[in-house]
Amino acid sequence: MTDDRAIILKADELPDKWYNILPDLPEPLPPPMDPPEGYSRVGDLPNLLIGECLKQEMSTERWIPIPEGIRDLFLAAGRPRPLYRAKKLEEKLGTPAKLFYKSEFYSPTGSHKVNTALAQAYYAKEQGFERLTTETGAGQWGNALAYASSLVGLDCTVFWVRAVYRWKPQRLKFMQMFGADVFASPSTQTEFGKTLYAEDSNHNGSLGIAISEGLEDAKNDPKAVYCLGSVLNHVLLHQSIIGLETMKQMEIAGEYPDTVISCLGGGSNFGGIALPWMGEALTKNKEIQFIAAQSEAAPNLQGEYKDDFADHAEMTPMLKMYTLGHQVTMVPIYGDGLRYHGSSPILSLLRNTGHLDAVAYPADEKYVFEKTREFVQAEGFLPAPESAYSVACAMDEAIKCKENNEKKTILFNISGHGFLDLDGYGEVLGLKPQPERS
Ligand SMILES: Cc1ncc(COP(=O)(O)O)c(C=O)c1O
């Protein structure tokens, strides 16, 4: 069904294959590497990842069938998700551009992260694991994995960057509703966590540290396996469902994007919406501009392109990626999900070959949140603080179209909702508590 504003797919139009860009990349993807010294992290990979995910990580098959059991879980999570034409926003901006946004904010826990959480939980259960461990920054990934674990019948342990754990008590309760065991990281649950906690029990933590804790916890329990919510090839593969649905929807709308935009932390939602389109750009010679929206607090696509660890304690193999350094300290921002030191190897390669542009917005977040307030007032949906970067970038591009009188079609992803993040918006936009008024 279609109308002027929402383009909605039926359940039987849910894609039945994921798109893997590896065979279509302009250059072969550099493999994970071992550091010059120490044990082989590459050799350790089968002990770190779910078997099916490791297979997908290396696969050069262009199309990978989505098992019926996972398609069923996707339907239960409300997929396919609508694509919207932002007509009210276009009017407000007075732009000749056409703006379309994908609604990952309809996810049960609030973000696109459920797309890979459900797939990973399904494969882990099939392999006989009983518990999943993970890290989370913004809390969206931990919440998504807690939800997926609960749906397939697994236990879940979440190591949550302490600074964010402290300012998102509602998100914590949401994870607890699904039965997850949640620790502020660095925690006293792992040897690595204990050393940092002993130095500073108020340690803010980082995603890199929380990853190390999740890995250590899983390594010490044969019934547990670690799951990562971004960066890796198989995560972007699972997220390709976003872009594949969007391709069908744009076809129904009779449109083709000139520009594809999303926010980028480790790269999973950006890869999800962009890579199916990037595949067309690479194999069918289509002209599409791809823009990743980042924060100046973590502009990893402006870092160095080199082999680096994905975690603080150097337990993962080294991945060739744009990185700010795996032990870098970054200032806190409300869009905490964007605060990761490295960008996915696939997207890093595409950045290096000139197929991917990036913009970084000021770390005080005033600009992106003010733009997002305009979006909220026109369109009515409340994006997550991370998604606010995508919204601001799309609006900037629409304004450029107005200045240059260009009728571009701009597609952007809204990776999540901000219902549990209003304190951040309130703080930055000055929405102060007010005395009771009647
Ligand atoms: C709503 C939302 N969007 C985006 C991101 C950034 O992650 P990625 O770059 O993997 O999409 C996060 C991470 O937590 C998130 O919660």
Side-chain angles (χ1 to χ4, degrees), residues 9-87:
L9 298 177
K10 294 198 288 284
D12 62 6
E13 293 174 290
L14 181 73
D16 57 6
K17 296 180 196 69
W18 287 302
Y19 172 62
N20 175 18
I21 199 165
L22 251 59
D24 294 330
L25 286 175
E27 293 170 5
L29 190 71
M33 299 292 286
D34 276 324
E37 280 161 26
Y39 67 96
S40 171
R41 273 74 164 176
V42 177
D44 207 24
L45 272 177
N47 304 322
L48 298 183
L49 293 179
I50 297 159
E52 193 57 34
C53 294
L54 182 57
K55 237 166 71 191
Q56 293 174 347
E57 190 67 19
M58 311 292 177
S59 173
T60 50
E61 290 296 315
R62 184 172 288 112
W63 296 101
I64 297 186
I66 307 175
E68 267 314 300
I70 295 179
R71 292 185 79 227
D72 229 44
L73 290 166
F74 281 172
L75 293 175
R79 298 212 78 86
R81 304 206 190 291
L83 177 75
Y84 289 104
R85 170 93 185 264
K87 282 211 162 154

Side-chain angles (χ1 to χ4, degrees), residues 111-113 138 140-141 229-230 263-270 337-338 384 386-387 415-416:
S111 83
H112 71 292
K113 298 280 181 185
Q140 290 269 20
W141 165 241
S230 191
C263 62
L264 195 153
S268 72
N269 91 91
F270 184 92
L338 303 184
E386 292 79 10
S387 318
S415 51

Side-chain angles (χ1 to χ4, degrees), residues 38 40 49 99 119 123 147 186 197 233 275 321 351 407 420:
S40 171
L49 293 179
L99 291 168
Y123 288 130
Y147 153 85
Y197 187 84
N233 305 348
L275 290 182
M321 58 185 180
R351 168 84 168 148
K407 292 187 174 141
L420 300 181

